[in-house]
Amino acid sequence: MLIDQQLVEKAEKLMPSLQTNEVEIQNIIEVIADDAAFQGWRIKQSMTPQEWKERSYGKNDSFIVDFGDHYVGYVKLAIKSVGSPPDAPLKLKLTFGEMPCEIAEPFESYEGWLSSSWLQEELLFVDVLPAEIRLPRRYCFRYIKVEVLDTSVKYKVAFDDIHCDAVTSGDILQVAALPASLPQDIVEMDRIAIKTLQDCMQTVFEDGPKRDRRLWIGDLRLQAQANYYTFQNYDLVKRCLYLFGGMRLEDGTVGACVFEKPYAHVDDTKLYDYALFFVSVLHDYYEATKDMDVLLELWPIAMEQLEIGVKRLDDRGIVADDSTWWCFTDWHDELNKQASAQAVLIYCLKHGRELASILGKQEHYKYITEKIQLTTNASMQYLWDENEGFFVSGENGQVSWASQIWMALAEVLPSELNALLLERLLEESPSVGMTTPYMYHHLIEALFLVGHNEQAITQMQAYWGGMMQDGADTFWELYNPNDKKQSPYGSNLINSYCHAWSCTPTYFIRKYLV
Amino acid sequence: MLIDQQLVEKAEKLMPSLQTNEVEIQNIIEVIADDAAFQGWRIKQSMTPQEWKERSYGKNDSFIVDFGDHYVGYVKLAIKSVGSPPDAPLKLKLTFGEMPCEIAEPFESYEGWLSSSWLQEELLFVDVLPAEIRLPRRYCFRYIKVEVLDTSVKYKVAFDDIHCDAVTSGDILQVAALPASLPQDIVEMDRIAIKTLQDCMQTVFEDGPKRDRRLWIGDLRLQAQANYYTFQNYDLVKRCLYLFGGMRLEDGTVGACVFEKPYAHVDDTKLYDYALFFVSVLHDYYEATKDMDVLLELWPIAMEQLEIGVKRLDDRGIVADDSTWWCFTDWHDELNKQASAQAVLIYCLKHGRELASILGKQEHYKYITEKIQLTTNASMQYLWDENEGFFVSGENGQVSWASQIWMALAEVLPSELNALLLERLLEESPSVGMTTPYMYHHLIEALFLVGHNEQAITQMQAYWGGMMQDGADTFWELYNPNDKKQSPYGSNLINSYCHAWSCTPTYFIRKYLV
């Protein structure tokens, strides 16, 4: 690893103190199988919190509490015994769910390929009652299922309180109100998007506070953009830039993700597109803050990312393809990433050229301009299929949504043709589609870019509006309207239902609709 | 409850500070099915601790650590990751066992009637590695099975250390060495008995540090007797006397057991024999310490226990029988407790008479003497079966070991006949036998009382020696040489394998053999 201790220390000095908000239970619920509901589960109130407090629970009794919204935080329970003095420990199982599926479908059934340790559960033994217990781990949830696995024949338990100390580094007071003229569904979508972003804003911009819980640069890019229009926590972006800049992989590449604990360290995952995004995140940050110090400090690293990206070009000026997980683009097994990687390179070269210009770095400006020309021309010569009217990718000339969207964002075609490309894309709808909100974000951004604002809004309303209709409290990592249990990890239980890259409706609404 | 706050406060002021002793792993073992071994399980070394530290463990790997002896204490684990940076929590299951059965037989199979929450297990999620974890609960064990339920595809874990901070209020330095003349098996039996007592000596004399973990007066009586010959922690006995005296049941009866946390409180269990033992424990304490202050202070409560005990006598002067759990005597479903309860009453009246004499309480002395005569005569008239040569109990005139043993201890018969009673008992061996070491203790005490010292030693060597041959590190709550999985609770998994009432070989050895 290449460690720049000064940058890492600067990052650590920017560690935010989190806001805490005590949240009470709203309802005691049941989860009921219902084919018409999202993923086959709907919730129904079974008791008020007051009724629940008056009940006592013995061996094999259980209940589900509903906090009414999605939260990230620490849970406290106040438990007392009912009956004779407790003559054996209380054995409790807790199951936390962002969504009803996690409460209704047993974790034992999980066979996905991500670690089952992400499934949020606890087995607790309480030796002394009454007890006030603050669970030491952070959870991400709306629901908690509490199962009393055992007490003893001599006593039961009752719950005086369960609450959550919700935490975030996103201060809602910094978020401006939307104009009253906006339609209600847009206002609501903005609210949910902001809540999504807020729950992901901790001591870094996390990708998902339930699972992964770390800083990925692909998510950071979108979160930072949404943050500039909402919470305006510039220091948090700065901290994240320093973390990525301060800890790189052996060859100088910015890593794909960073862990914070027990001390800040970069993961060994390297992704072509993610490393290049260091340049665009830096550019976005500069535009939002005009913070020349950070730009001067991090520019050499950004420039190096462009040079490393360029190294992957073949003799023709095309990014070399690969069958491994070398470039993220989207969660899609069949997607060929070559054309989108080419486009991301051009996109980031253009961001880099802006920064070189701001900094007056003429040599860099010249180098970058040459590379933009080289890669743009090569794209038109080798990836553009005039007959199809689409960019193709890989050996087999795959036509995908991702390739067109990224080529549009890279503005490889002249402006009018760029708009036509997206029209054709929507009309012909190639079979290699989009999987994640991350990819949908880029479609919508591209539509706004070419001035097709109405279509952008329609797409956003269809996709994120679909999540809203399906009961989203926060926006999700994955959403396939045609397969609502889809997961890139083999189980919907492990999907993240509050995910950074899904927070951008607030960015679109506040940038293009206000 | 009848609370004497002054006595409770005196008890709390006598709270001992515990000694801590850091204990290391001795071996990594396997548990192997073996019909010839105790309960069908034997252990076998699989690795040295050094080899174990060099290994790494991934999903579904497990190992068993062996501390080489029985301990009560707190466990620390030092865990590190091996491979890529850990990108998911570590999910660990820990199972603690006093005996191999707890490690080998899955707790899910448990169907006993005591709470399954006593089975010592933990499910741990470790979010950050490396980690040094001190588990907050106290465990009682020799073995720990560690199952790595999940890591992730990117990393495994290795263990730098697992150790135990063993705790006790029994200071081994206070225990005198035995004379070199004693045979080796007796020396070893003494050592194991002392270890049993030591592991039960915490902030009170606990009955069993794995399960129950509280102060029962029946166990206290024997522990205190053993303590006077070994650790000589008189303050701990005093604390326990104050706890029982300071918190009684509504009618003035001393409760059967006391809980310490979250604040000292007496259980609602009332046992006829246990309440009376307050008198004999006080007498034993006085004889060991000559502490007149405590005697003066607690005598009124002791005297009241005798009066309450006498109230249960019917017109004939016989303790009224009952089909409930009104008197403990032994864990034996078919045992009728009437005769043994009668004998315990006489036994405790005699202890009380000694105390009344010491205190010069003439009225009390006179009252007690009358009751001794009444109950002794009634025993001979209504419970003694001249033809059988045994005491009978209950409506159906049951002849049991327990009735004879307690009548012998109460010295209802003249000295020579008392000895003959025990000889007859051993010879004829009535079918209603003994279940617990607690009952065996009283047999042996009775044999010493009548001067049959050799038979006492033979019995002790047969019974506790049997446990030693079966691999006891500490002596057990239950031991039936003919049914080694026997449990009063429906499962050998929940039996306590370090149990107060089983610690008395050291008392016999040091009182009668030295």
Side-chain angles (χ1 to χ4, degrees):
Chain A
M1 305 293 158
L2 285 186
I3 306 297
D4 182 329
Q5 198 54 39
Q6 277 196 314
L7 291 187
V8 176
E9 278 165 24
K10 284 187 176 184
E12 296 300 31
K13 278 190 186 142
L14 290 163
M15 177 80 72
S17 56
L18 301 181
Q19 291 191 353
T20 300
N21 176 27
E22 188 173 315
V23 190
E24 302 294 333
I25 291 172
Q26 298 300 307
N27 258 319
I28 312 300
I29 59 148
E30 294 168 70
V31 180
I32 294 167
D34 180 351
D35 287 342
F38 179 69
Q39 296 185 346
W41 303 108
R42 72 180 163 84
I43 63 167
K44 187 190 152 194
Q45 189 192 34
S46 65
M47 244 184 281
T48 65
Q50 197 47 49
E51 287 167 330
W52 160 76
K53 283 184 187 177
E54 286 158 15
R55 293 229 179 168
S56 62
Y57 295 86
K59 182 170 181 162
N60 295 330
D61 291 337
S62 69
F63 57 86
I64 304 164
V65 301
D66 174 5
F67 282 82
D69 201 352
H70 185 277
Y71 293 101
V72 178
Y74 298 87
V75 171
K76 280 186 186 158
L77 303 97
I79 316 174
K80 65 186 176 193
S81 64
V82 178
S84 287
D87 61 337
L90 164 66
K91 184 177 180 183
L92 276 186
K93 185 180 175 189
L94 305 182
T95 307
F96 299 81
E98 297 186 295
M99 293 296 286
C101 64
E102 295 157 85
I103 299 299
E105 300 170 28
F107 287 173
E108 292 75 24
S109 69
Y110 176 74
E111 288 183 349
W113 62 264
L114 285 187
S115 177
S116 62
S117 61
W118 285 121
L119 300 170
Q120 301 177 109
E121 58 177 327
E122 298 294 341
L123 183 65
L124 292 186
F125 293 88
V126 186
D127 290 322
V128 178
L129 289 171
E132 290 199 4
I133 301 164
R134 185 187 194 266
L135 300 175
R137 301 177 74 211
R138 198 192 75 184
Y139 306 98
C140 178
F141 63 100
R142 171 173 169 170
Y143 310 104
I144 309 176
K145 182 174 184 181
V146 178
E147 294 171 86
V148 176
L149 297 186
D150 220 332
T151 54
S152 86
V153 292
K154 293 196 74 176
Y155 80 99
K156 291 185 168 193
V157 287
F159 292 78
D160 282 330
D161 180 41
I162 298 180
H163 74 260
C164 170
D165 289 330
V167 290
T168 179
S169 57
D171 180 1
I172 200 73
L173 298 178
Q174 301 301 316
V175 181
L178 286 178
S181 57
L182 282 174
Q184 197 47 46
D185 68 316
I186 290 291
V187 172
E188 180 63 4
M189 187 181 292
D190 178 77
R191 185 192 67 73
I192 296 172
I194 289 170
K195 179 73 168 129
T196 306
L197 176 59
Q198 188 181 32
D199 283 359
C200 293
M201 285 174 72
Q202 302 294 335
T203 48
V204 293
F205 285 98
E206 295 185 10
D207 64 324
K210 176 176 92 171
R211 199 212 66 236
D212 269 24
R213 303 185 190 177
R214 54 187 183 264
L215 172 62
W216 287 89
I217 202 164
D219 297 82
L220 169 63
R221 178 170 150 265
L222 305 194
Q223 284 169 298
Q225 288 178 333
N227 171 58
Y228 302 139
Y229 286 93
T230 54
F231 298 104
Q232 300 169 67
N233 189 338
Y234 303 112
D235 274 354
L236 193 65
V237 183
K238 190 163 151 186
R239 165 167 159 78
C240 294
L241 279 168
Y242 279 137
L243 285 170
F244 279 117
M247 302 178 295
R248 287 179 294 152
L249 305 177
E250 281 304 344
D251 66 351
T253 305
V254 165
C257 76
V258 156
F259 298 94
E260 293 181 87
K261 288 178 182 170
Y263 47 81
H265 59 292
V266 63
D267 188 37
D268 54 13
T269 301
K270 178 153 108 174
L271 292 170
Y272 187 77
D273 47 352
Y274 276 30
L276 286 166
F277 286 142
F278 185 79
V279 185
S280 74
V281 175
L282 182 60
H283 184 212
D284 294 342
Y285 173 77
Y286 177 78
E287 290 302 332
T289 61
K290 305 295 175 193
D291 182 343
M292 183 55 84
D293 293 342
V294 169
L295 178 55
L296 279 167
E297 206 168 11
L298 297 182
W299 169 250
I301 296 168
M303 184 62 206
E304 197 177 336
Q305 300 316 301
L306 297 176
E307 288 163 343
I308 291 168
V310 162
K311 275 193 204 148
R312 201 177 168 101
L313 295 173
D314 63 16
D315 295 343
R316 304 172 300 167
I318 295 292
V319 172
D321 197 11
D322 198 322
S323 62
T324 67
W325 197 54
W326 63 284
C327 178
F328 176 66
T329 311
D330 196 11
W331 277 128
H332 196 307
D333 285 343
E334 284 137 49
L335 177 65
N336 182 283
K337 319 275 178 86
Q338 185 179 44
S340 50
Q342 178 88 6
V344 167
L345 175 60
I346 297 168
Y347 175 91
C348 291
L349 283 165
K350 288 180 175 175
H351 277 284
R353 185 168 56 181
E354 292 293 313
L355 291 176
S357 165
I358 291 159
L359 289 162
K361 300 273 186 190
Q362 292 183 8
E363 283 299 306
H364 289 160
Y365 188 92
K366 186 160 165 266
Y367 168 87
I368 295 171
T369 302
E370 279 170 22
K371 297 307 174 192
I372 291 171
Q373 276 165 3
L374 168 70
T375 49
T376 302
N377 294 341
S379 298
M380 291 309 300
Q381 190 171 350
Y382 300 108
L383 301 180
W384 175 249
D385 184 328
E386 188 64 38
N387 293 331
E388 295 257 18
F390 283 129
F391 289 92
V392 297
S393 181
E395 242 182 349
N396 299 321
Q398 183 190 72
V399 174
S400 68
W401 284 69
S403 300
Q404 315 318 312
I405 290 165
W406 271 110
M407 282 295 181
L409 288 169
E411 299 178 90
V412 171
L413 293 170
S415 172
E416 257 177 57
L417 294 179
N418 215 16
L420 286 174
L421 173 67
L422 289 178
E423 284 166 38
R424 203 157 42 244
L425 176 67
L426 292 172
E427 209 174 282
E428 297 196 12
S429 186
S431 64
V432 181
M434 301 177 288
T435 307
T436 59
Y438 179 73
M439 202 61 237
Y440 272 87
H441 164 90
H442 291 108
L443 168 65
I444 290 159
E445 183 73 304
L447 287 167
F448 278 119
L449 175 73
V450 303
H452 286 1
N453 290 22
E454 278 194 25
Q455 271 190 312
I457 296 165
T458 303
Q459 287 288 337
M460 184 173 77
Q461 281 176 317
Y463 192 68
W464 275 270
M467 289 193 227
M468 288 165 67
Q469 278 167 23
D470 278 330
D473 299 304
T474 45
F475 290 125
W476 306 331
E477 177 180 24
L478 252 290
Y479 183 59
N480 181 344
N482 302 314
D483 178 6
K484 292 182 180 176
K485 287 196 157 197
Q486 190 181 336
S487 168
Y489 319 113
S491 166
N492 58 313
L493 292 179
I494 207 107
N495 285 3
S496 162
Y497 293 95
C498 172
H499 214 74
W501 67 28
S502 204
C503 77
T504 53
T506 187
Y507 158 78
F508 291 127
I509 291 165
R510 287 162 187 265
K511 180 170 182 181
Y512 298 110
L513 274 66
V514 171
Chain B
M1 306 293 158
L2 285 185
I3 306 297
D4 182 328
Q5 197 54 39
Q6 276 196 315
L7 292 187
V8 177
E9 278 166 22
K10 284 187 176 183
E12 296 299 32
K13 279 190 185 140
L14 290 162
M15 178 78 73
S17 56
L18 302 180
Q19 291 191 355
T20 300
N21 177 27
E22 186 173 317
V23 190
E24 302 294 332
I25 291 171
Q26 297 301 305
N27 258 319
I28 312 300
I29 60 149
E30 293 168 70
V31 180
I32 294 167
D34 180 351
D35 287 342
F38 179 69
Q39 296 186 344
W41 302 109
R42 71 178 163 85
I43 63 167
K44 187 190 152 194
Q45 188 191 37
S46 65
M47 244 184 279
T48 65
Q50 197 48 48
E51 287 166 331
W52 160 75
K53 282 183 187 177
E54 286 158 15
R55 293 229 179 169
S56 62
Y57 295 87
K59 181 170 182 162
N60 295 330
D61 290 339
S62 69
F63 57 85
I64 302 164
V65 301
D66 175 5
F67 282 82
D69 201 351
H70 185 276
Y71 293 101
V72 177
Y74 297 87
V75 172
K76 281 186 186 157
L77 303 97
I79 315 173
K80 66 186 175 192
S81 65
V82 178
S84 287
D87 61 338
L90 164 65
K91 183 177 180 183
L92 276 186
K93 185 179 174 187
L94 304 182
T95 306
F96 299 82
E98 296 186 295
M99 293 296 286
C101 64
E102 296 157 86
I103 299 299
E105 300 171 28
F107 287 172
E108 291 75 24
S109 69
Y110 175 75
E111 287 183 351
W113 62 264
L114 286 186
S115 178
S116 62
S117 61
W118 285 121
L119 300 170
Q120 302 177 107
E121 58 177 325
E122 299 293 342
L123 182 66
L124 292 187
F125 293 87
V126 185
D127 291 321
V128 178
L129 289 172
E132 290 200 4
I133 301 166
R134 185 187 193 267
L135 299 176
R137 301 177 73 209
R138 198 191 76 185
Y139 307 98
C140 178
F141 64 99
R142 171 173 168 169
Y143 310 104
I144 309 175
K145 182 174 185 182
V146 178
E147 293 171 85
V148 176
L149 298 186
D150 220 331
T151 53
S152 86
V153 292
K154 293 195 74 174
Y155 80 100
K156 291 185 169 194
V157 287
F159 292 78
D160 281 331
D161 180 41
I162 298 181
H163 74 260
C164 170
D165 289 331
V167 290
T168 179
S169 57
D171 179 2
I172 201 73
L173 298 177
Q174 300 301 316
V175 181
L178 286 177
S181 57
L182 283 174
Q184 197 47 45
D185 68 318
I186 290 292
V187 173
E188 179 64 2
M189 188 181 292
D190 178 76
R191 186 192 67 74
I192 296 172
I194 289 170
K195 180 73 168 130
T196 306
L197 177 58
Q198 188 181 32
D199 283 359
C200 293
M201 286 173 71
Q202 301 296 334
T203 49
V204 293
F205 285 98
E206 296 184 10
D207 65 324
K210 177 176 90 171
R211 197 212 67 235
D212 270 23
R213 303 184 192 178
R214 54 188 184 264
L215 172 62
W216 287 89
I217 201 163
D219 297 81
L220 169 63
R221 177 170 151 265
L222 305 194
Q223 284 169 298
Q225 288 178 332
N227 171 58
Y228 301 139
Y229 286 93
T230 53
F231 297 104
Q232 300 169 70
N233 189 339
Y234 303 112
D235 275 353
L236 194 64
V237 184
K238 191 164 150 186
R239 165 168 160 78
C240 294
L241 279 168
Y242 280 138
L243 286 171
F244 279 117
M247 302 177 296
R248 287 179 293 152
L249 305 178
E250 280 305 344
D251 66 351
T253 305
V254 165
C257 76
V258 157
F259 298 94
E260 294 180 270
K261 288 178 181 168
Y263 47 83
H265 59 291
V266 62
D267 188 36
D268 54 12
T269 302
K270 178 153 107 175
L271 292 170
Y272 186 78
D273 48 351
Y274 275 31
L276 286 166
F277 286 142
F278 185 79
V279 185
S280 74
V281 176
L282 182 60
H283 184 211
D284 293 344
Y285 172 78
Y286 177 78
E287 291 302 333
T289 61
K290 305 296 176 192
D291 183 342
M292 184 55 83
D293 293 342
V294 168
L295 178 55
L296 279 167
E297 205 167 13
L298 297 182
W299 169 249
I301 296 167
M303 184 61 205
E304 196 178 336
Q305 301 316 301
L306 297 176
E307 289 164 343
I308 291 168
V310 163
K311 275 193 203 146
R312 200 177 169 102
L313 295 174
D314 64 17
D315 295 343
R316 305 172 299 167
I318 296 292
V319 172
D321 198 11
D322 199 323
S323 62
T324 67
W325 198 55
W326 63 284
C327 178
F328 176 66
T329 312
D330 196 11
W331 277 128
H332 196 306
D333 285 342
E334 283 138 50
L335 177 64
N336 182 283
K337 320 275 178 85
Q338 185 179 44
S340 50
Q342 178 87 6
V344 167
L345 175 60
I346 297 168
Y347 175 91
C348 291
L349 283 165
K350 288 181 175 175
H351 278 283
R353 186 167 58 181
E354 293 291 316
L355 291 176
S357 165
I358 291 160
L359 289 163
K361 300 272 184 190
Q362 292 183 9
E363 282 299 306
H364 289 160
Y365 188 91
K366 188 162 162 266
Y367 168 88
I368 295 171
T369 303
E370 280 169 23
K371 298 308 174 193
I372 291 171
Q373 277 165 4
L374 168 70
T375 48
T376 302
N377 293 342
S379 299
M380 291 311 298
Q381 192 172 349
Y382 300 108
L383 301 180
W384 175 248
D385 184 329
E386 188 63 39
N387 294 331
E388 295 257 17
F390 283 130
F391 289 92
V392 297
S393 183
E395 246 184 345
N396 300 321
Q398 182 189 72
V399 175
S400 68
W401 284 68
S403 300
Q404 316 316 314
I405 290 165
W406 270 111
M407 283 293 181
L409 288 169
E411 298 178 271
V412 171
L413 293 170
S415 171
E416 258 178 55
L417 293 180
N418 215 16
L420 286 173
L421 172 66
L422 290 178
E423 283 166 39
R424 203 156 42 243
L425 176 67
L426 293 171
E427 211 174 281
E428 297 197 10
S429 188
S431 64
V432 181
M434 301 176 289
T435 307
T436 59
Y438 179 73
M439 202 62 237
Y440 272 86
H441 164 89
H442 291 108
L443 168 65
I444 290 160
E445 182 73 304
L447 288 167
F448 278 120
L449 174 73
V450 302
H452 285 2
N453 290 22
E454 279 195 23
Q455 271 189 311
I457 296 165
T458 304
Q459 288 288 337
M460 186 173 77
Q461 282 176 315
Y463 192 69
W464 274 271
M467 289 193 228
M468 288 165 67
Q469 277 168 22
D470 278 330
D473 299 304
T474 46
F475 290 125
W476 306 331
E477 177 181 23
L478 252 289
Y479 183 59
N480 181 345
N482 302 314
D483 178 5
K484 293 182 180 175
K485 287 197 158 196
Q486 191 182 335
S487 168
Y489 319 112
S491 166
N492 60 312
L493 292 179
I494 207 107
N495 285 2
S496 162
Y497 293 95
C498 173
H499 213 74
W501 68 27
S502 205
C503 77
T504 54
T506 187
Y507 159 78
F508 293 127
I509 291 165
R510 287 162 188 264
K511 180 171 182 182
Y512 299 110
L513 274 64
V514 173

